[in-house]
């Protein structure tokens, strides 16, 4: 089921589960803190009950002691005043105690029983005290003897309730430290347990979530590598989330690329077999026709035959470039590298283009070169011919094109220097891309397929070198490329060819 969830939904699930756990954890801590607060409140309440009860008892004792002192010590006035003060304060003090116990019916009932007995007791003692204060000592003693049994019962009932109330509060206060200790333990345990569970669960869920993503992303990465190597892709990922959809789209794209590759191969096969052969035959016929083999042509016929011959030549050149480009792009291109004299490909290139240069009234100049290079000489000739022919085409009449080679560390740098119109700075990288030229009219006015320079770049990079141009508009150009002096120690020719093929997908032509 989770396989059909989107990544955003899985993320919300992860956050939601952790959030619920956090809420449960916080709720548990809040409950423990609340219970602790209740316990503290209960303890403080018990202390207040004990304190106020002691005050009530103190007043009762004060009243009893004052009455006894009054009768035994000759009726001193201070004792009588002390008795009346205690009796007067007792109701208010009992009301204070009742107010504290009002939220607990059980405690309140005990206080009310205590109040009833205490007031009755004070009433009896007050009656005897009144007789004594009036000088009726005999009657006071008679009344004292008479009320003694009732006094004893009331006193016992009163103190029984007080004792019971005090015992309950002492039990609460006695148990409080243990309860506090238990609550603190529960708080600490809850804190440790909650944090531990949250951390562990967060790690597990994050691991599960990220593992599901990274594992499938690794499959996507593997598919891109397999596609680059031409290997079979991994099975399509199941599910409906973004990664699965991306993988499914990648498989569809790969299938479409495969179909396009097959179409391209069919096109290249058609070009190489169905076009190049008849075009070569047509070119031969036009050469014979222009040479007068089939009779002399008038001026218009010669002009048109020459024009047709040039167009056929350009079309055959385009087909040859397309075939070379296809071989480089597909990695089916091979190099036959060996140690060569750097002067040899330069000399052969100049010889191949000498007639063309003379026709364009451009001089080809080179120096004496005594350098070695590790390369496929035929491919170097192909690169040099392309660069030199471009320089000749774009040079003015009477100009010169200089071809040199110098050693720079472990490379030989070949240079083709012209006196042409130059290459604008913004085009100095673009001209090595496919079908890019400085001017859109160059293809028709100067000829060229738009594939010469990208093929040169791929060939140079297959050797492990670099290619580029230094130019300023109106002051000519210097096209240069480097070739290793010796066989590269770490990169063999087949790997270099694959590198050149991989880079070729974004390159171009003649300047």
């Amino acid at each position: 089921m989770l396989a059909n969830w989107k990544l955003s939904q899985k993320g919300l699930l992860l956050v939601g589960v952790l959030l619920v756990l956090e809420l449960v954890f916080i709720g548990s801590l809040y409950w423990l803190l609340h219970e602790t607060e209740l316990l503290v409140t209960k303890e403080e309440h018990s202390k207040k009950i004990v304190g106020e009860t002691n005050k009530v008892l103190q007043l009762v004792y004060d009243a009893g002691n004052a009455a006894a002192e009054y009768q035994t010590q000759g009726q001193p006035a201070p004792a009588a005043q002390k008795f009346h003060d205690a009796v007067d304060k007792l109701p208010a003090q009992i009301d204070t105690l009742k107010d504290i116990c009002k939220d607990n019916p059980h405690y309140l009932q005990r206080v009310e029983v205590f109040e009833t007995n205490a007031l009755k007791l004070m009433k009896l003692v007050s009656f005897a005290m009144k007789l004594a204060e009036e000088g009726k000592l005999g009657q006071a003693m008679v009344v004292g003897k008479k009320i003694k049994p009732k006094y004893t019962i009331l006193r016992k009932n009163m103190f029984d309730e007080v004792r019971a109330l005090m015992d309950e509060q002492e039990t609460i206060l006695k148990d409080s430290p243990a309860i506090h200790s238990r609550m603190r333990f529960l708080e600490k345990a809850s804190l440790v347990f909650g944090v531990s569970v949250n951390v562990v669960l967060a790690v597990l869920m994050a691991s599960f979530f990220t593992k599901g993503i990274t594992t499938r992303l690794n499959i996507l990465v593997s598919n891109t590598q397999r596609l680059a190597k031409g290997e079979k892709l991994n099975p399509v990922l199941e599910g409906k989330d973004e990664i699965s959809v991306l993988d499914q789209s990648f498989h569809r794209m790969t299938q479409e690329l495969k179909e396009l590759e097959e179409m391209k191969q069919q096109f290249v096969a058609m070009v190489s077999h169905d076009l190049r052969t008849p075009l070569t035959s047509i070119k031969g016929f036009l050469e014979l026709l222009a040479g007068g083999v089939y009779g002399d042509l008038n001026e218009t016929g010669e002009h048109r035959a020459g024009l047709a011959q040039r167009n056929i030549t350009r079309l055959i050149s385009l087909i040859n470039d397309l075939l070379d480009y296809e071989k480089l792009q597909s990695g089916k291109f091979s190099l036959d590298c060996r140690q060569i004299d750097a002067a040899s490909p330069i000399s052969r290139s100049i010889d191949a283009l000498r007639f063309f240069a003379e026709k364009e009234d451009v001089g080809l100049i080179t120096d004496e070169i005594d350098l070695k290079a590790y390369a496929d000489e035929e491919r170097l000739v192909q690169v040099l011919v392309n660069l030199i022919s471009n320089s000749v085409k774009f040079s003015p009449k009477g100009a010169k094109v200089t071809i040199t080679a110098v050693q720079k560390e472990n490379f030989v740098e070949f240079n083709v220097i012209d006196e042409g119109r130059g290459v604008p700075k913004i085009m100095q990288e673009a001209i090595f891309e496919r079908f890019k030229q400085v001017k859109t009219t160059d293809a028709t006015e100067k000829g060229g397929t738009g594939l010469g320079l990208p093929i040169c770049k791929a060939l140079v990079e297959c050797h492990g070198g670099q290619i580029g141009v230094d130019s300023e508009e109106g002051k000519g150009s210097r096209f240069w490329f480097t070739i290793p002096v010796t066989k590269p120690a770490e990169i063999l020719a087949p790997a270099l060819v694959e590198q050149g093929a991989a880079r070729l997908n974004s390159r171009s032509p003649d300047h």
Side-chain angles (χ1 to χ4, degrees), residues 84-321:
H84 290 297
D85 288 341
V87 171
D88 291 340
K89 292 178 181 179
L90 185 60
Q93 190 62 47
I94 292 176
D95 288 340
T96 301
L97 182 59
K98 287 169 66 177
D99 185 63
I100 294 174
C101 298
K102 65 182 179 180
D103 293 329
N104 190 315
H106 175 67
Y107 293 167
L108 183 59
Q109 183 181 6
R110 288 192 181 282
V111 174
E112 288 175 346
V113 172
F114 169 82
E115 179 186 25
T116 300
N117 290 315
L119 293 178
K120 288 181 178 179
L121 185 64
M122 290 299 102
K123 188 176 181 181
L124 290 176
V125 175
S126 295
F127 179 69
M129 277 291 295
K130 184 179 180 182
L131 291 175
E133 288 176 333
E134 291 175 353
K136 302 175 182 179
L137 295 178
Q139 293 182 17
M141 293 182 64
V142 172
V143 169
K145 291 181 180 180
K146 219 171 155 182
I147 64 173
K148 187 173 182 180
K150 189 175 183 180
Y151 173 86
T152 303
I153 294 173
L154 290 173
R155 188 172 182 276
K156 180 178 182 303
N157 291 339
M158 181 186 69
F159 281 106
D160 285 345
E161 292 299 325
V162 170
R163 191 177 295 109
L165 181 62
M166 294 288 282
D167 288 345
E168 290 176 349
Q169 306 314 308
E170 289 176 359
T171 301
I172 292 174
L173 294 175
K174 182 180 178 181
D175 294 341
S176 289
I179 298 175
H180 274 295
S181 178
R182 185 167 64 252
M183 294 300 291
R184 283 194 296 270
F185 172 78
L186 288 176
E187 289 172 2
K188 292 179 181 178
S190 298
L191 185 62
V192 173
F193 177 76
V195 171
S196 301
V197 169
N198 272 277
V199 170
V200 171
L201 193 59
V203 170
L204 290 176
M205 292 196 69
S207 175
F208 171 76
F209 184 67
T210 55
K211 184 179 180 181
I213 294 176
T214 54
T215 300
R216 293 185 299 155
L217 283 177
N218 288 334
I219 293 176
L220 283 177
V221 172
S222 174
N223 281 338
T224 60
Q225 295 171 344
R226 287 171 177 265
L227 177 62
K229 296 178 182 178
E231 299 175 354
K232 185 179 178 181
L233 301 184
N234 296 302
V236 180
L237 292 176
E238 297 181 357
K240 296 182 181 179
D241 66 355
E242 292 84 347
I243 297 178
S244 299
V245 171
L246 179 60
D247 182 66
Q248 293 159 13
S249 300
F250 187 83
H251 276 78
R252 287 195 298 270
M253 180 197 70
T254 303
Q255 182 61 34
E256 292 172 358
L257 287 175
K258 184 178 179 181
E259 294 173 357
L260 287 173
E261 181 66 22
E262 292 175 355
M263 291 174 61
K264 185 180 71 172
Q265 291 176 356
Q266 293 173 2
F267 171 75
V268 172
M270 182 271 291
V271 168
S272 61
H273 296 98
D274 297 344
L275 288 181
R276 188 162 61 170
T277 300
L279 285 174
T280 302
S281 298
I282 294 171
K283 179 184 178 185
F285 169 74
L286 290 173
E287 289 175 349
L288 293 175
L289 184 63
V293 174
Y294 298 104
D296 295 332
L297 299 175
N298 58 28
E299 185 177 349
T300 302
E302 289 180 357
H303 173 71
R304 292 185 176 177
L307 181 61
Q309 186 178 355
R310 286 193 297 274
N311 287 335
I312 290 296
T313 300
R314 182 169 177 272
L315 190 55
I316 292 175
S317 176
L318 174 60
I319 291 172
N320 289 334
D321 283 348

Side-chain angles (χ1 to χ4, degrees), residues 15 18 23 70 158-159 173 178 251 261 269 318 323 373 385 395 423 440 458:
V15 173
L18 293 177
L23 291 175
Y70 184 82
M158 181 186 69
F159 281 106
L173 294 175
H251 276 78
E261 181 66 22
L318 174 60
L323 292 175
V385 166
S395 294
V423 180
T440 56

Side-chain angles (χ1 to χ4, degrees), residues 41 46 101 164 213 258 274 376 380 434:
T41 302
S46 295
C101 298
I213 294 176
K258 184 178 179 181
D274 297 344
D376 184 329
L380 283 195
R434 295 171 292 176

Side-chain angles (χ1 to χ4, degrees), residues 9-23:
Q9 293 173 323
K10 293 179 181 178
L12 286 175
L13 174 64
L14 172 63
V15 173
V17 170
L18 293 177
L19 182 60
V20 169
L21 284 175
E22 288 291 339
L23 291 175

Side-chain angles (χ1 to χ4, degrees), residues 399-426:
K400 296 177 181 179
V401 175
T402 303
I403 303 96
T404 64
V406 295
Q407 184 167 343
K408 291 190 174 181
E409 296 181 353
N410 296 325
F411 290 87
V412 175
E413 181 183 85
F414 293 83
N415 297 279
V416 178
I417 307 168
D418 64 46
E419 300 172 356
R421 69 188 184 191
V423 180
K425 192 171 185 63
I426 60 173

